[in-house]
Amino acid sequence: RDPVSICSSGQPISMLAQRSASACFSAAQPRVMHVATLPARVHRWTNSMVARVAPEEGGSRQQPDADTTSPPSSPEGSQGMTALPGEEKSLKLPKEVIERLKTTVFGFDTFWVTSVENYEADGVLFQGNIRGKDSAISYAKMKERLAAQLGQKYQLFLLQDKDDKPTVIVLPEGEGTEKISRSQEVWLALGFALATVVTTVNAASVPLFQWLIEPFNTSLSQQDFVEGSPFILATLLVLGVHELGHYQAAKKHGAEIYLPFIIPAGFGFIPSFGGITRLKTFLPNRTALLDFASQ
């Protein structure tokens, strides 16, 4: 307790001053100055404090009135309503979204924000410090809280800037990727797939492309397809399994992808340059990205 107002025995100074206060203070707190040597204004302040804190005998202690002017308390561990450096600027996300991120998503156990700024056209970048030993756990907590507070309207990414400092980027759902209609997706995928079949057949020494251009001047028989079928089927199987691996990896991590575009490789011995698989939604982290890309 404060040695100026309360002695080790628990009695107020105003009472101790009448009952050998110096003995009490010299025994309990040897380094505290003697009560008699305190200035008179300190005595007056001490007596006023005792009158406010210590009740009369038989009375009850009165609690001080609540300060109605103080702002409501924020959730424990959050950054509250305190303005961050850069927040005074016109940010791309609504102000209420920024406040909900500060008070419910970020905090002492996830990510402590030190500044905020705009990111590209529609996002906001938060700089700060990762809290906790495992950044993956902190990231999972932030993702879970973001989904609970704002649903699927926004996406959150934990990255490192050019100085290897952690940053969090929040983007509206669907931003950052160019989307095409379902009909465009299907027709493009079918067109690339058919062209790849033709180049694969040609790579198997079956002159299918030449026959399509000049059917009356090109000799093409069933035996040509029989002889080239092992190469054709093996190539198409490899391409199909590879694209199926991308699909399974995306599904595993909760992402959606477009139909793959299989790129034809010309009309020589190379059947295809592989496929292009575009993401409709974001992958959650680098581990998921590596898993998706390595399939």
mmCIF file of all heavy atoms in Angstrom, residues 62-99:
data_model
loop_
_atom_site.group_PDB
_atom_site.id
_atom_site.type_symbol
_atom_site.label_atom_id
_atom_site.label_comp_id
_atom_site.label_asym_id
_atom_site.label_seq_id
_atom_site.Cartn_x
_atom_site.Cartn_y
_atom_site.Cartn_z
ATOM 1 N N GLN A 62 -18.476 4.563 0.429
ATOM 2 C CA GLN A 62 -19.163 5.058 -0.737
ATOM 3 C C GLN A 62 -18.242 4.948 -1.947
ATOM 4 O O GLN A 62 -17.087 5.332 -1.890
ATOM 5 C CB GLN A 62 -19.586 6.520 -0.550
ATOM 6 C CG GLN A 62 -20.580 6.716 0.600
ATOM 7 C CD GLN A 62 -20.961 8.172 0.751
ATOM 8 O OE1 GLN A 62 -20.381 9.017 0.093
ATOM 9 N NE2 GLN A 62 -21.922 8.442 1.600
ATOM 10 N N GLN A 63 -18.781 4.409 -3.013
ATOM 11 C CA GLN A 63 -18.001 4.286 -4.238
ATOM 12 C C GLN A 63 -18.064 5.604 -4.999
ATOM 13 O O GLN A 63 -19.096 6.263 -5.039
ATOM 14 C CB GLN A 63 -18.560 3.160 -5.125
ATOM 15 C CG GLN A 63 -18.490 1.802 -4.475
ATOM 16 C CD GLN A 63 -17.055 1.351 -4.298
ATOM 17 O OE1 GLN A 63 -16.167 1.784 -5.023
ATOM 18 N NE2 GLN A 63 -16.822 0.499 -3.310
ATOM 19 N N PRO A 64 -16.971 6.012 -5.614
ATOM 20 C CA PRO A 64 -17.004 7.243 -6.392
ATOM 21 C C PRO A 64 -17.925 7.096 -7.591
ATOM 22 O O PRO A 64 -18.127 6.007 -8.113
ATOM 23 C CB PRO A 64 -15.540 7.420 -6.845
ATOM 24 C CG PRO A 64 -14.962 6.056 -6.791
ATOM 25 C CD PRO A 64 -15.652 5.367 -5.637
ATOM 26 N N ASP A 65 -18.488 8.215 -7.990
ATOM 27 C CA ASP A 65 -19.394 8.200 -9.116
ATOM 28 C C ASP A 65 -18.657 7.807 -10.391
ATOM 29 O O ASP A 65 -17.509 8.175 -10.597
ATOM 30 C CB ASP A 65 -20.036 9.581 -9.320
ATOM 31 C CG ASP A 65 -20.921 9.940 -8.125
ATOM 32 O OD1 ASP A 65 -21.402 9.007 -7.452
ATOM 33 O OD2 ASP A 65 -21.111 11.148 -7.881
ATOM 34 N N ALA A 66 -19.340 7.056 -11.248
ATOM 35 C CA ALA A 66 -18.720 6.633 -12.502
ATOM 36 C C ALA A 66 -18.540 7.826 -13.412
ATOM 37 O O ALA A 66 -19.368 8.730 -13.453
ATOM 38 C CB ALA A 66 -19.591 5.573 -13.184
ATOM 39 N N ASP A 67 -17.471 7.798 -14.150
ATOM 40 C CA ASP A 67 -17.188 8.879 -15.084
ATOM 41 C C ASP A 67 -17.967 8.627 -16.356
ATOM 42 O O ASP A 67 -17.655 7.761 -17.151
ATOM 43 C CB ASP A 67 -15.689 8.916 -15.390
ATOM 44 C CG ASP A 67 -15.327 10.093 -16.269
ATOM 45 O OD1 ASP A 67 -16.246 10.903 -16.557
ATOM 46 O OD2 ASP A 67 -14.152 10.200 -16.655
ATOM 47 N N THR A 68 -19.023 9.419 -16.506
ATOM 48 C CA THR A 68 -19.900 9.206 -17.655
ATOM 49 C C THR A 68 -19.302 9.724 -18.939
ATOM 50 O O THR A 68 -19.821 9.459 -20.018
ATOM 51 C CB THR A 68 -21.249 9.905 -17.412
ATOM 52 O OG1 THR A 68 -21.004 11.296 -17.193
ATOM 53 C CG2 THR A 68 -21.959 9.309 -16.218
ATOM 54 N N THR A 69 -18.195 10.459 -18.828
ATOM 55 C CA THR A 69 -17.598 11.013 -20.042
ATOM 56 C C THR A 69 -16.589 10.071 -20.673
ATOM 57 O O THR A 69 -16.153 10.297 -21.779
ATOM 58 C CB THR A 69 -16.896 12.345 -19.720
ATOM 59 O OG1 THR A 69 -15.836 12.094 -18.788
ATOM 60 C CG2 THR A 69 -17.873 13.337 -19.134
ATOM 61 N N SER A 70 -16.164 8.993 -19.961
ATOM 62 C CA SER A 70 -15.157 8.094 -20.495
ATOM 63 C C SER A 70 -15.784 7.195 -21.547
ATOM 64 O O SER A 70 -16.939 6.802 -21.437
ATOM 65 C CB SER A 70 -14.553 7.238 -19.381
ATOM 66 O OG SER A 70 -15.568 6.474 -18.769
ATOM 67 N N PRO A 71 -15.061 6.846 -22.610
ATOM 68 C CA PRO A 71 -15.608 6.004 -23.678
ATOM 69 C C PRO A 71 -15.791 4.585 -23.202
ATOM 70 O O PRO A 71 -15.162 4.137 -22.253
ATOM 71 C CB PRO A 71 -14.530 6.083 -24.775
ATOM 72 C CG PRO A 71 -13.267 6.388 -24.025
ATOM 73 C CD PRO A 71 -13.668 7.232 -22.865
ATOM 74 N N PRO A 72 -16.670 3.826 -23.838
ATOM 75 C CA PRO A 72 -16.867 2.435 -23.437
ATOM 76 C C PRO A 72 -15.606 1.633 -23.654
ATOM 77 O O PRO A 72 -14.837 1.868 -24.576
ATOM 78 C CB PRO A 72 -17.989 1.956 -24.388
ATOM 79 C CG PRO A 72 -17.931 2.890 -25.547
ATOM 80 C CD PRO A 72 -17.490 4.207 -24.977
ATOM 81 N N SER A 73 -15.392 0.681 -22.754
ATOM 82 C CA SER A 73 -14.175 -0.124 -22.821
ATOM 83 C C SER A 73 -14.237 -1.065 -24.005
ATOM 84 O O SER A 73 -15.286 -1.553 -24.392
ATOM 85 C CB SER A 73 -14.010 -0.931 -21.530
ATOM 86 O OG SER A 73 -15.126 -1.783 -21.351
ATOM 87 N N SER A 74 -13.080 -1.334 -24.605
ATOM 88 C CA SER A 74 -12.976 -2.248 -25.739
ATOM 89 C C SER A 74 -12.774 -3.654 -25.228
ATOM 90 O O SER A 74 -12.421 -3.862 -24.067
ATOM 91 C CB SER A 74 -11.794 -1.839 -26.628
ATOM 92 O OG SER A 74 -11.952 -0.510 -27.068
ATOM 93 N N PRO A 75 -12.982 -4.639 -26.061
ATOM 94 C CA PRO A 75 -12.736 -6.015 -25.640
ATOM 95 C C PRO A 75 -11.303 -6.206 -25.178
ATOM 96 O O PRO A 75 -10.380 -5.577 -25.687
ATOM 97 C CB PRO A 75 -13.009 -6.817 -26.922
ATOM 98 C CG PRO A 75 -13.915 -5.947 -27.725
ATOM 99 C CD PRO A 75 -13.506 -4.545 -27.405
ATOM 100 N N GLU A 76 -11.123 -7.086 -24.222
ATOM 101 C CA GLU A 76 -9.795 -7.308 -23.648
ATOM 102 C C GLU A 76 -8.815 -7.772 -24.712
ATOM 103 O O GLU A 76 -9.083 -8.678 -25.484
ATOM 104 C CB GLU A 76 -9.888 -8.358 -22.539
ATOM 105 C CG GLU A 76 -8.561 -8.603 -21.840
ATOM 106 C CD GLU A 76 -8.689 -9.634 -20.750
ATOM 107 O OE1 GLU A 76 -9.798 -10.118 -20.530
ATOM 108 O OE2 GLU A 76 -7.667 -9.941 -20.116
ATOM 109 N N GLY A 77 -7.646 -7.124 -24.771
ATOM 110 C CA GLY A 77 -6.622 -7.511 -25.712
ATOM 111 C C GLY A 77 -6.718 -6.831 -27.056
ATOM 112 O O GLY A 77 -5.831 -6.979 -27.876
ATOM 113 N N SER A 78 -7.805 -6.092 -27.336
ATOM 114 C CA SER A 78 -7.927 -5.430 -28.627
ATOM 115 C C SER A 78 -7.284 -4.063 -28.566
ATOM 116 O O SER A 78 -6.914 -3.567 -27.509
ATOM 117 C CB SER A 78 -9.405 -5.299 -29.017
ATOM 118 O OG SER A 78 -10.047 -4.355 -28.168
ATOM 119 N N GLN A 79 -7.193 -3.418 -29.723
ATOM 120 C CA GLN A 79 -6.567 -2.108 -29.802
ATOM 121 C C GLN A 79 -7.561 -0.979 -29.645
ATOM 122 O O GLN A 79 -7.206 0.183 -29.795
ATOM 123 C CB GLN A 79 -5.799 -1.986 -31.115
ATOM 124 C CG GLN A 79 -4.705 -3.015 -31.229
ATOM 125 C CD GLN A 79 -3.724 -2.680 -32.330
ATOM 126 O OE1 GLN A 79 -3.622 -3.394 -33.291
ATOM 127 N NE2 GLN A 79 -2.980 -1.612 -32.177
ATOM 128 N N GLY A 80 -8.808 -1.336 -29.363
ATOM 129 C CA GLY A 80 -9.798 -0.343 -29.034
ATOM 130 C C GLY A 80 -10.076 0.610 -30.173
ATOM 131 O O GLY A 80 -9.943 0.295 -31.340
ATOM 132 N N MET A 81 -10.467 1.837 -29.798
ATOM 133 C CA MET A 81 -10.849 2.837 -30.777
ATOM 134 C C MET A 81 -9.722 3.827 -31.032
ATOM 135 O O MET A 81 -9.939 4.883 -31.622
ATOM 136 C CB MET A 81 -12.099 3.588 -30.265
ATOM 137 C CG MET A 81 -13.251 2.664 -29.888
ATOM 138 S SD MET A 81 -13.905 1.746 -31.286
ATOM 139 C CE MET A 81 -14.797 3.054 -32.108
ATOM 140 N N THR A 82 -8.508 3.509 -30.584
ATOM 141 C CA THR A 82 -7.392 4.416 -30.769
ATOM 142 C C THR A 82 -7.040 4.516 -32.252
ATOM 143 O O THR A 82 -6.927 3.514 -32.944
ATOM 144 C CB THR A 82 -6.163 3.913 -29.987
ATOM 145 O OG1 THR A 82 -6.526 3.733 -28.626
ATOM 146 C CG2 THR A 82 -5.023 4.915 -30.102
ATOM 147 N N ALA A 83 -6.869 5.751 -32.727
ATOM 148 C CA ALA A 83 -6.521 5.967 -34.124
ATOM 149 C C ALA A 83 -5.086 5.528 -34.378
ATOM 150 O O ALA A 83 -4.185 5.777 -33.584
ATOM 151 C CB ALA A 83 -6.700 7.436 -34.488
ATOM 152 N N LEU A 84 -4.866 4.865 -35.501
ATOM 153 C CA LEU A 84 -3.545 4.383 -35.873
ATOM 154 C C LEU A 84 -2.874 5.379 -36.812
ATOM 155 O O LEU A 84 -3.549 6.141 -37.506
ATOM 156 C CB LEU A 84 -3.658 3.034 -36.572
ATOM 157 C CG LEU A 84 -4.251 1.892 -35.753
ATOM 158 C CD1 LEU A 84 -4.526 0.701 -36.663
ATOM 159 C CD2 LEU A 84 -3.312 1.492 -34.628
ATOM 160 N N PRO A 85 -1.536 5.386 -36.856
ATOM 161 C CA PRO A 85 -0.849 6.225 -37.835
ATOM 162 C C PRO A 85 -1.274 5.859 -39.254
ATOM 163 O O PRO A 85 -1.239 4.697 -39.637
ATOM 164 C CB PRO A 85 0.629 5.892 -37.589
ATOM 165 C CG PRO A 85 0.695 5.436 -36.173
ATOM 166 C CD PRO A 85 -0.600 4.724 -35.927
ATOM 167 N N GLY A 86 -1.695 6.852 -40.012
ATOM 168 C CA GLY A 86 -2.185 6.633 -41.364
ATOM 169 C C GLY A 86 -3.683 6.508 -41.455
ATOM 170 O O GLY A 86 -4.256 6.570 -42.540
ATOM 171 N N GLU A 87 -4.359 6.341 -40.309
ATOM 172 C CA GLU A 87 -5.810 6.151 -40.327
ATOM 173 C C GLU A 87 -6.547 7.449 -40.635
ATOM 174 O O GLU A 87 -7.721 7.430 -41.025
ATOM 175 C CB GLU A 87 -6.280 5.579 -38.986
ATOM 176 C CG GLU A 87 -7.682 5.018 -39.014
ATOM 177 C CD GLU A 87 -8.059 4.296 -37.742
ATOM 178 O OE1 GLU A 87 -7.157 4.033 -36.925
ATOM 179 O OE2 GLU A 87 -9.249 4.003 -37.562
ATOM 180 N N GLU A 88 -5.874 8.565 -40.455
ATOM 181 C CA GLU A 88 -6.531 9.843 -40.742
ATOM 182 C C GLU A 88 -6.713 10.056 -42.242
ATOM 183 O O GLU A 88 -7.492 10.910 -42.673
ATOM 184 C CB GLU A 88 -5.714 10.996 -40.149
ATOM 185 C CG GLU A 88 -4.369 11.251 -40.835
ATOM 186 C CD GLU A 88 -3.275 10.309 -40.360
ATOM 187 O OE1 GLU A 88 -3.559 9.477 -39.476
ATOM 188 O OE2 GLU A 88 -2.147 10.420 -40.863
ATOM 189 N N LYS A 89 -6.018 9.266 -43.061
ATOM 190 C CA LYS A 89 -6.164 9.376 -44.504
ATOM 191 C C LYS A 89 -7.458 8.699 -44.955
ATOM 192 O O LYS A 89 -8.105 7.988 -44.201
ATOM 193 C CB LYS A 89 -4.967 8.725 -45.201
ATOM 194 C CG LYS A 89 -3.624 9.318 -44.824
ATOM 195 C CD LYS A 89 -2.491 8.558 -45.507
ATOM 196 C CE LYS A 89 -1.129 9.092 -45.085
ATOM 197 N NZ LYS A 89 -0.022 8.328 -45.705
ATOM 198 N N SER A 90 -7.823 8.936 -46.185
ATOM 199 C CA SER A 90 -9.009 8.314 -46.752
ATOM 200 C C SER A 90 -8.666 6.890 -47.173
ATOM 201 O O SER A 90 -8.010 6.660 -48.189
ATOM 202 C CB SER A 90 -9.502 9.122 -47.958
ATOM 203 O OG SER A 90 -10.625 8.499 -48.548
ATOM 204 N N LEU A 91 -9.092 5.918 -46.379
ATOM 205 C CA LEU A 91 -8.779 4.514 -46.637
ATOM 206 C C LEU A 91 -9.831 3.891 -47.553
ATOM 207 O O LEU A 91 -10.973 4.348 -47.620
ATOM 208 C CB LEU A 91 -8.692 3.747 -45.323
ATOM 209 C CG LEU A 91 -7.593 4.209 -44.362
ATOM 210 C CD1 LEU A 91 -7.658 3.437 -43.057
ATOM 211 C CD2 LEU A 91 -6.209 4.065 -44.996
ATOM 212 N N LYS A 92 -9.420 2.826 -48.243
ATOM 213 C CA LYS A 92 -10.286 2.193 -49.222
ATOM 214 C C LYS A 92 -11.421 1.400 -48.582
ATOM 215 O O LYS A 92 -12.475 1.234 -49.183
ATOM 216 C CB LYS A 92 -9.464 1.270 -50.128
ATOM 217 C CG LYS A 92 -8.380 1.985 -50.917
ATOM 218 C CD LYS A 92 -8.957 3.030 -51.855
ATOM 219 C CE LYS A 92 -7.858 3.675 -52.679
ATOM 220 N NZ LYS A 92 -8.395 4.722 -53.597
ATOM 221 N N LEU A 93 -11.223 0.902 -47.380
ATOM 222 C CA LEU A 93 -12.271 0.157 -46.700
ATOM 223 C C LEU A 93 -13.093 1.102 -45.831
ATOM 224 O O LEU A 93 -12.575 2.106 -45.334
ATOM 225 C CB LEU A 93 -11.668 -0.947 -45.833
ATOM 226 C CG LEU A 93 -10.886 -2.045 -46.555
ATOM 227 C CD1 LEU A 93 -10.451 -3.122 -45.583
ATOM 228 C CD2 LEU A 93 -11.690 -2.652 -47.684
ATOM 229 N N PRO A 94 -14.372 0.805 -45.611
ATOM 230 C CA PRO A 94 -15.203 1.658 -44.756
ATOM 231 C C PRO A 94 -14.643 1.770 -43.339
ATOM 232 O O PRO A 94 -14.013 0.845 -42.828
ATOM 233 C CB PRO A 94 -16.562 0.934 -44.759
ATOM 234 C CG PRO A 94 -16.553 0.112 -46.003
ATOM 235 C CD PRO A 94 -15.139 -0.301 -46.222
ATOM 236 N N LYS A 95 -14.890 2.913 -42.712
ATOM 237 C CA LYS A 95 -14.357 3.164 -41.375
ATOM 238 C C LYS A 95 -14.850 2.142 -40.370
ATOM 239 O O LYS A 95 -14.103 1.704 -39.492
ATOM 240 C CB LYS A 95 -14.742 4.577 -40.926
ATOM 241 C CG LYS A 95 -14.119 4.981 -39.603
ATOM 242 C CD LYS A 95 -14.455 6.418 -39.243
ATOM 243 C CE LYS A 95 -13.800 6.812 -37.913
ATOM 244 N NZ LYS A 95 -14.132 8.219 -37.559
ATOM 245 N N GLU A 96 -16.131 1.740 -40.483
ATOM 246 C CA GLU A 96 -16.663 0.766 -39.530
ATOM 247 C C GLU A 96 -15.973 -0.588 -39.675
ATOM 248 O O GLU A 96 -15.813 -1.318 -38.700
ATOM 249 C CB GLU A 96 -18.179 0.617 -39.685
ATOM 250 C CG GLU A 96 -18.643 0.212 -41.065
ATOM 251 C CD GLU A 96 -18.924 1.404 -41.973
ATOM 252 O OE1 GLU A 96 -18.433 2.506 -41.668
ATOM 253 O OE2 GLU A 96 -19.650 1.212 -42.978
ATOM 254 N N VAL A 97 -15.559 -0.925 -40.897
ATOM 255 C CA VAL A 97 -14.826 -2.180 -41.108
ATOM 256 C C VAL A 97 -13.450 -2.101 -40.461
ATOM 257 O O VAL A 97 -12.994 -3.057 -39.815
ATOM 258 C CB VAL A 97 -14.710 -2.490 -42.612
ATOM 259 C CG1 VAL A 97 -13.796 -3.702 -42.852
ATOM 260 C CG2 VAL A 97 -16.081 -2.740 -43.216
ATOM 261 N N ILE A 98 -12.781 -0.963 -40.602
ATOM 262 C CA ILE A 98 -11.473 -0.768 -39.969
ATOM 263 C C ILE A 98 -11.595 -0.918 -38.460
ATOM 264 O O ILE A 98 -10.777 -1.580 -37.809
ATOM 265 C CB ILE A 98 -10.899 0.612 -40.326
ATOM 266 C CG1 ILE A 98 -10.698 0.742 -41.841
ATOM 267 C CG2 ILE A 98 -9.589 0.853 -39.598
ATOM 268 C CD1 ILE A 98 -9.645 -0.142 -42.417
ATOM 269 N N GLU A 99 -12.627 -0.323 -37.871
ATOM 270 C CA GLU A 99 -12.807 -0.402 -36.418
ATOM 271 C C GLU A 99 -13.086 -1.832 -35.977
ATOM 272 O O GLU A 99 -12.579 -2.285 -34.950
ATOM 273 C CB GLU A 99 -13.951 0.524 -35.982
ATOM 274 C CG GLU A 99 -13.643 2.005 -36.130
ATOM 275 C CD GLU A 99 -12.457 2.435 -35.284
ATOM 276 O OE1 GLU A 99 -12.172 1.780 -34.258
ATOM 277 O OE2 GLU A 99 -11.800 3.423 -35.656
#
